[in-house]
Amino acid sequence: MNDKFAIESGFWINKPHSYSIDDNIVKIVTSSKTDFWQRSFYGFQNDNAPALLFETNINFTFSCKVEFDYKELFDQAGVIIYFDSENWFKASIEYENTTVARLGSVVTNLGYSDWATKDIEPVNSMWYRISRRGPDFLFESSFDGTKYTQARVFHQHILGKTDIEKAKERFLNSSKEKSLNFGLYACSPSDSSFAAQFSNFEFTNSIWEAHI
């Protein structure tokens, strides 16, 4: 598969008021009070952040570099897998304060979000990588785009196949997966606005080997 990523094939949900796409670089300026979150602990439901999405039905690996100029608490920019308001995944660094940031990910299944984080020193850029194997995913991050570290393995329930679907695939000898939308997002849950830039896109067949 050609790893030249076709930005022009993407589509927006919650299209941002200010953005640009030029020479395979995407820039987003966030609006305040935008976020993705569902119910857990806080009780609120937010589904108004902008995301540029791409559709695929294969097992894939997607990576990109994200650069950002955070301003306020919870400012974030990263990668996302999005099915609907109650089933999605996002990963990013979130701004906490001038001495600590939170590299984290959120898995939302059936309308409830979790949040797994690791405290790191504040930075202004990060590489993210997502690999798919059916309904399961590997999320990794890197400070330099070369050495990636595993951050999370997770499952999206909405991709699970019924017994009838599994039997049909065995009969047809098909390896086709369910379609999903993946891509990039940026948002400012607080009263803030900042600029995020996405570049160095790579999209290939999945490099995540099966565990045998």
Side-chain angles (χ1 to χ4, degrees):
M1 180 187 301
N2 190 338
D3 61 7
K4 176 69 173 178
F5 193 63
I7 290 292
E8 63 275 9
S9 67
F11 63 94
W12 289 102
I13 58 170
N14 306 318
K15 191 174 183 178
H17 296 298
S18 178
Y19 75 94
S20 66
I21 301 175
D22 184 46
D23 195 27
N24 253 30
I25 295 175
V26 179
K27 297 180 181 179
I28 298 174
V29 177
T30 64
S31 298
S32 65
K33 310 297 184 182
T34 52
D35 195 10
F36 290 115
W37 184 265
Q38 286 294 334
R39 296 182 178 87
S40 300
F41 184 70
Y42 306 105
F44 57 72
Q45 297 174 259
N46 285 335
D47 189 52
N48 63 347
L52 182 61
L53 301 178
F54 307 87
E55 184 178 6
T56 186
N57 62 3
I58 68 169
N59 288 325
F60 67 91
T61 292
F62 169 70
S63 63
C64 68
K65 180 183 181 181
V66 185
E67 299 170 87
F68 39 84
D69 183 23
Y70 292 161
K71 304 296 184 183
E72 298 291 341
L73 184 66
F74 302 135
D75 280 350
Q76 58 194 266
V79 292
I80 187 168
I81 296 169
Y82 189 89
F83 303 96
D84 55 39
S85 63
E86 299 199 334
N87 299 274
W88 47 265
F89 163 83
K90 69 176 182 179
S92 65
I93 293 173
E94 294 194 18
Y95 180 82
E96 184 69 17
N97 54 51
T98 57
T99 60
V100 66
R102 287 185 170 154
L103 172 61
S105 59
V106 175
V107 177
T108 299
N109 275 310
L110 307 177
Y112 289 87
S113 298
D114 68 21
W115 188 25
T117 66
K118 176 183 179 181
D119 288 356
I120 62 172
E121 293 184 1
V123 295
N124 296 112
S125 67
M126 182 66 76
W127 279 257
Y128 301 109
R129 187 163 72 186
I130 301 173
S131 297
R132 176 190 186 185
R133 293 194 67 85
D136 300 320
F137 298 84
L138 169 66
F139 165 59
E140 302 168 286
S141 64
S142 172
F143 289 102
D144 60 9
T146 300
K147 182 181 179 181
Y148 280 87
T149 301
Q150 177 176 309
R152 186 166 194 168
V153 173
F154 64 97
H155 181 85
Q156 292 280 185
H157 295 318
I158 199 168
L159 288 174
K161 297 177 181 178
T162 66
D163 290 341
I164 292 177
E165 288 174 317
K166 291 177 182 177
K168 183 177 180 181
E169 287 191 352
R170 287 195 297 270
F171 178 75
L172 296 175
N173 194 27
S174 171
S175 60
K176 185 177 180 181
E177 299 290 351
K178 287 186 176 180
S179 292
L180 61 79
N181 300 316
F182 71 95
L184 33 115
Y185 85 102
C187 63
S188 291
S190 303
D191 187 10
S192 177
S193 178
F194 73 93
Q197 177 173 293
F198 303 82
S199 62
N200 297 79
F201 301 104
E202 291 189 7
F203 179 77
T204 66
N205 289 313
S206 181
I207 64 172
W208 187 25
E209 297 183 356
H211 183 68
I212 299 175

